[in-house]
Amino acid sequence: IPAVKVSSILLALAIATHAAPSDPGRVALDFLEKVRLRKLDLEPGGDTALSAQTAAGKKQRIARHLERMARDLGSDPLEVGAVKLDDNFAAVLVRKVGGFDPSRLQIFPVALVKRGAEWTAAPVPASFENSGTGYAIELRKRLELLENWMLRQQVADLEQLREQSAGRMRAKIETTLPAGEVRKMDARQFSDRFLAACGKRDLPSLLGCLGGLAAILPDDWPARLKTAERVVAAGSTAPRPWRLLTSPDVARVVVALKADDASGLISIACLDPAGNGVESTPPRIEVIHLELAKSDDNLWQIDPPDSFLHATKDAEDEPEEDFDAELRDAFPEKWLEAHPPKPQATPENAHQALIAALAGGSFPSLLAISKIDGIPEVARRACIQAAKTGWSVQDPAAARHAMPLAFKAEESAAVGLFQFFSARDPDRFEPRALYFENSPHGWLWSPEPSLKFREKLQGWVDSETQVWQDQWQDLLLADSPVLTEIGPLPAPSRDEAERAVTAWLGATRAGDLKKALGLVARLGDPRSPATVLQNLGYEMTDSRRDQEKPAITGIYQGKTWTAVGVKIDQGEKSNYPLYPVVQTPQGPRLLVEIDLFAAGNRGRDFLNKTAFERLGKSTPTVSELQELYSQHRKNILETGTSQLR
């Protein structure tokens, strides 16, 4: 084929593609998505058909109306409904159909104008106003017909959607919990399915267990629906008593079930290591009672009490019934039946399993390697002690780390010595001895060892405690290289420094002590270990109070140092630290013991000066870092984002 002919064909295809009319439904969806994301260009010639003659005041009113619409749109999915065309004008109804609550269903009318081959949304929903359509009488009559159609159809379509909402909801629920399966379940199987739905925060299945599959919904269905949606959205912060059923930190198991063919009562024992949420309140085993019933169409459902559906007095403030004592004692045995323990082949393996569980596991994973058998009272105390020990490290507000120091194993017993480092008190030596026992099936951690068992290894524990009292900081800082000199290696690149500081901010915010210390170098000064840990403690504690994620304000590179400026918002106050980063044989590392802040008060200026004087005793390159700090402070002052404090 001649080249000229090929070119002609390609040109014709390009023209045809360009001239192909856009789809009014798709354009309406795109318009609302931009409104939802608050990314709509409302200028003439932008994302709408706004007339260039629109007055400024009218444009502001339109913008306010679109802002309200953005809030109404929320995050639910949208779909195109009815569409009506009239030559170069169109009316489109867009449905918001996400979620399970019919009160959240909405219809958004969008008027569109066709310019050439392209449809464009009018700036005022359900109206062709301010879209430059002209004022001819016949044209206005046609547009009024479209506008009236949108308003009438909006009401009719919404009513139809609400009539269909129960069926749509059941269809969504059945994707994870088919009604046919529920009809085949006995009361115990259904109870287990309910607990699984709670633990996974599986909203469709949870709604199905609460009666959402029934042909006739429960009388209090709106309250059940709103509560379930709120609980699932809250995640690990769900309020009590739902936290006991949904939090991954809580160990829960069915301890009693009484049921006939039509109704029943399920009792669930729960052990929350966080206690009842009140500081210094120890954890305890709590029992939740829930009624089961069958609907008219033979489907099991949970009928939750008012305390689950409305804001009432917390269950922990109510006295427990006497008969619950027996159920609480049944928790260890029932837990082991549902979750067989995972003993280890050797004491060393048991020690490593405990280290891993304390470092990042949930409380149920800690119970899996714990010795919690024996008579009910002893087993219950062991469960509660395991909860106390685990939460002392895993409490997100505590920023603690269980650091293994030493380990000793004998034929039937073993012990590990740990330092429970706290970011709130980083200089404190808090040793704890954690014991292991050998059973016929293998080694397990013993949360509540007997006095005789502890006395057997007490001499070794006392001796090792003395040894580690002055050495634990060096072990904790083993991944933080000591800088014998600063300067042989060139400064880290800007990208390297930014990655290092970003990783540091993420690790301190997450309370990941090991990762944070792996990003740090330290001076050879005898005070360095204590200073590094003290500053790390400050950062971890403060980062938990930060309302926003820190933002990098600037990166300043010299020959030896690269420094990264950061803005940290803490309510009405903003701080502007500067993190010095230096190259080491192990890669870029932060020198967090030299803490610098862009400040406008004498106290902070004095602390900055003290930090520079201390650094000056270790390296002549301190003047370069001082210059980078000056650039950082100047940058903050010039941006004017906040007054320095």
Side-chain angles (χ1 to χ4, degrees), residues 183-213:
R183 287 192 177 93
K184 296 176 182 178
M185 294 179 186
D186 59 26
R188 179 55 192 254
Q189 291 169 330
F190 179 75
S191 300
D192 290 341
R193 190 64 178 267
F194 168 69
L195 279 185
C198 289
K200 295 176 182 177
R201 294 198 289 273
D202 175 358
L203 181 58
S205 294
L206 180 56
L207 290 174
C209 291
L210 292 174
L213 287 170

Side-chain angles (χ1 to χ4, degrees), residues 469-519:
Q469 186 166 0
D470 298 322
Q471 297 181 22
W472 69 271
Q473 288 184 339
D474 290 331
L475 180 62
L476 186 60
L477 292 163
D479 293 333
S480 304
V482 177
L483 299 174
T484 54
E485 59 178 328
I486 300 174
L489 297 175
S493 70
R494 293 174 182 271
D495 287 344
E496 287 178 323
E498 181 177 5
R499 285 195 296 270
V501 171
T502 300
W504 164 264
L505 295 171
T508 53
R509 193 179 186 89
D512 191 336
L513 180 78
K514 186 173 180 61
K515 182 177 179 180
L517 290 177
L519 297 164

Side-chain angles (χ1 to χ4, degrees), residues 241-449:
W242 280 103
R243 171 182 163 80
L244 296 175
L245 296 178
T246 61
S247 172
D249 293 321
V250 176
R252 62 189 77 87
V253 68
V254 174
V255 290
L257 176 63
K258 298 179 181 179
D260 53 29
D261 292 338
S263 63
L265 180 70
I266 175 177
S267 300
I268 306 165
C270 309
L271 177 52
D272 185 355
N276 63 7
V278 179
E279 190 172 355
S280 75
T281 302
R284 60 187 175 87
I285 297 171
E286 304 171 63
V287 181
I288 292 174
H289 304 283
L290 294 171
E291 293 183 358
L292 304 174
K294 274 192 176 179
S295 63
D296 292 340
D297 42 350
N298 203 36
L299 291 168
W300 284 109
Q301 66 185 39
I302 298 287
D303 290 330
D306 285 345
S307 61
F308 276 73
L309 301 179
H310 306 288
T312 60
K313 192 176 182 182
D314 286 342
E316 62 267 18
D317 295 330
E318 300 174 356
E320 292 182 304
E321 301 292 341
D322 289 339
F323 67 81
D324 281 354
E326 184 176 341
L327 296 176
R328 291 194 297 273
D329 281 344
F331 173 84
E333 180 183 357
K334 295 295 184 181
W335 175 266
L336 290 175
E337 288 177 5
H339 308 276
K342 298 178 181 178
Q344 303 295 311
T346 67
E348 290 78 13
N349 288 349
H351 183 233
Q352 290 302 315
L354 179 60
I355 293 171
L358 291 175
S362 63
F363 174 55
S365 71
L366 186 61
L367 274 186
I369 60 169
S370 303
K371 183 179 183 298
I372 56 173
D373 55 1
I375 62 173
E377 183 180 355
V378 173
R380 179 166 55 85
R381 285 204 311 266
C383 290
I384 292 173
Q385 185 57 46
K388 290 179 181 178
T389 302
W391 194 247
S392 68
V393 177
Q394 294 165 349
D395 179 1
R400 283 182 174 269
H401 175 69
M403 181 180 67
L405 299 176
F407 178 74
K408 179 178 177 59
E410 295 185 350
E411 183 177 348
S412 61
V415 60
L417 185 66
F418 290 76
Q419 155 64 349
F420 274 44
F421 172 84
S422 170
R424 292 180 177 177
D425 197 359
D427 290 332
R428 181 181 178 185
F429 180 48
E430 189 178 336
R432 293 196 193 182
L434 301 180
Y435 295 85
F436 304 84
E437 290 188 38
N438 193 8
S439 71
H441 303 290
W443 288 84
L444 292 166
W445 170 50
S446 179
E448 186 84 351

Side-chain angles (χ1 to χ4, degrees), residues 599-613:
N601 63 72
R602 295 176 62 183
R604 186 64 250 182
D605 288 339
F606 173 77
L607 293 175
N608 287 340
K609 180 181 178 182
T610 301
F612 281 128
E613 288 176 349

